[in-house]
Amino acid sequence: MTIKRLVAAMLLAGLSNSVLAEQSFTVQDIQVEGLQRVALGAALNNLPFNIGDTITDATLSRSIKSLYAAGHFDDIQVFRDGSTVIYRLKERPTINNIEFDGNKDIKEDQLNESLTAQKIVVGEPLDKTVIKEVENGLTEFYHGVGKYNAAVEMKVTYLPRNRVNLKIEFEEGDAASVRQINIVGNEIFSDEELLKNIESLYDLPWWRFLSSDRYQKQTLQGDFEKIRSYYLDRGYLRFNIDANQVSVSTDKTSVYVTLNVTEGEQYTITGVDFVGDLIGQDEFIKALLPLKAGQLYNGALVTYTEESIAKLLARFGYANSKVRTIPTINDDTKEVALTISVEPGKRVYVRRLEVAGNASTKDEVIRREVRQMEGAWLSNDALELSKERIQRLPYIEKVEFETKEVAGVDDKVDVGFKIKEQPSGNFNAGISYGDFQGLSFQIGVEQQNFFGTGNSAGISLSTNRYNRQIALSVTDPYFTLDAVSLGGQIFYSDTDYSSLSSNLEAYKQKRYGFGASIGYPINEYNRLNFGTNYAVNEINSLSEYDQLRHFRAVLMDKNDPDGGYKFTNYELIASWIQSTLNRGLFPTAGHELVLSGRITTPNSDLQYYKTTFSARKYIPLSNDHRWSFLSKLDLGYGNGYGSKNGYDYTLPFTDNFYAGGQNLRGFEARIIGPHAIYRQVSTIPGLPNPTGDSGGAYPTDPSFDTYIVSPRSTGGNAMAIATLELITPTPFVGEDYVNQIRTSLFVDAGNVWDTEFDLSRYDGLSPSTSQNFNSPALLDYSDPGLIRVSTGLSLQWISPMGPLTFSLAKIIQKEEGDDQENFSFNIGTTF
């Protein structure tokens, strides 16, 4: 009986509470207490009722949830005073500042990005419930890179006016090293054969201190896939990684990895079929197919086939195609039939091209390099070619593009090119010092992106104690819409080698004139340029060394043999350029070939030609192109054609090739090559005249002549210089400056020689003993085998003034008379 009464009482009590909960009342007033930062209106907008509404206690419960959901409050209490509803709120504190301490593996930009995703931002309210989540997430990241001793703590400092400062303290500790990797179940391939292909290093000996055996979860997962691919590429279609375990030592400094595998057996391909739509390219795709019946299954070839077909479809606008290979496996015969399913999807068209990031360069300058047209179907090949062409501009540092879907349309996209510019102005200057040339200084200003038009215009000045010159130039690379270029130049130079001390090849020269050029594109990678120059040369005070005998003979005025030389030339110029370089400055992949020639017309005062060939090739050695290999070759040859007064025309000495300085580092500028030879005629005194005075002097037999070899080079008409250069990452340089600073180790080798030099002219002659400077030995200057070699380190920086180059070099092979220049600095030159 007692139990029945108790049950009845409980039922009545429950019924009574239910009735009370459902009792309603009309709200006459709403009061909110505790607001500081949040506006009253913003708080009331989150309530599910207004004054005058009839509500129940259940409505009040829902209102608490609504206020919490707004994210502004830490604590909410609600009270009812008759028909008045009272809320007592405690606002969340506002984040005043966020500070990081002790983080090295995670950059602050990454941390801020992660915190923003979790709504921890300066100026926003702090949700304390996510603090532990942030700490755990960062700790898990450190575990993923092998730092199992890492600890992360977020400290909260309370400030007046309900503000807080957040400080995230990191104790990263040392990363655990991979002590051992065991593979269980492999019989066909040994552990050594499988592990030699992975990136995770383990149990390194002490002498490999430059390598790292640090454990990283992502790297290890990639290594598992490499082992899987190793088997699949060799026909083991049923290979499987059954399990993997990573065990951490008790001191958390080492990890042990165990991999359990099932190898299976090799499978042979019985045939390859296609299903789906091959967009009419059936024969071409089948001819492209590297998979053949009878060969072992190869996972790499399967992937290559899928990618090749997808790439082909993308050329025709099918950017969203799906290509997958379906294997039909016969485990009894160990054979597999492959069916390649091709779903091209809809052809995608480009609605709009957008350019961003070009603060200085006009849109049209970028767009004229783009080969993907608006309204045409989307082509990945055209986009990649467009990227290469834009990035090849010397005032563009980096280019990226992305395709964005058009809302509500499944066959149109917008393509956005994001540009990162670099200084387009080039302040060209150079400072060097040599024993004979003294201090030299060059200065010039060239704008390769004049007012953002893509045109180049410049003025260059150079001066040292023997030379002054000025040049003005302008070029429009898109004079016509189909990229025909037009340019012009005016130049003037005044050289005075006679102002130098010592017995050098002294002369004075003035050269002035003007020229024009026009260029035609052949295709995306080849271009032809043609030009003409009108040049006037005036030479005086010429030091009469022996190699100038032909030059003097064709220009000398018999009526004024001691006068100067003035000659006017009309020059025709042609060049061919082929370039596949991936960047205009500091390329890391591709090649460039330049063949150029210049010839004077028959009505010129001098008849000669000069040709040069330059080739450079970059081979990236790493996926990120931080390591790259450069090979470079420069060749040159010039000579005269025709004759005058019985003397053959030769290449004027003012157009000779020189080596040393920037093109053969470690040697003083212009020092390599033939040296001037001064032939001194031996004489005997004449008979006295009737007054008793000397009757002058008379030359003796030429076999008694002597000679002096100048310590300075006069250059030669042939040149060959080769460079091998290893481009390396620059230490202590962040990602933002990777494309602006370049470090490299180089080897330069080459020579300049004179094909017209005749050593036999000096057979039997003795060197003079009357010279007042040290004369080098006479060499066979027609010998191209007198190779000079140097090696060293180069640092280049694209500064706001232009490219700066610092070189530190050591000579390996030299000849007598070569002067060294171990350190050089130049502005305006890159290699």
Side-chain angles (χ1 to χ4, degrees), residues 465-494:
R465 68 181 185 180
Y466 58 81
N467 177 263
R468 294 178 299 277
Q469 65 179 18
I470 181 172
L472 303 174
S473 63
V474 61
T475 301
D476 183 354
Y478 274 82
F479 182 69
T480 66
L481 293 178
D482 52 358
V484 173
S485 63
L486 184 65
Q489 62 172 333
I490 301 175
F491 52 88
Y492 173 85
S493 66
D494 187 355

Side-chain angles (χ1 to χ4, degrees), residues 679-682 699-706 761-766:
R679 186 159 178 164
Q680 297 181 326
V681 178
S682 297
T700 63
D701 188 275
S703 61
F704 292 100
D705 290 353
T706 60
R761 281 179 51 83
Y762 311 100
D763 288 346
L765 303 186
S766 300

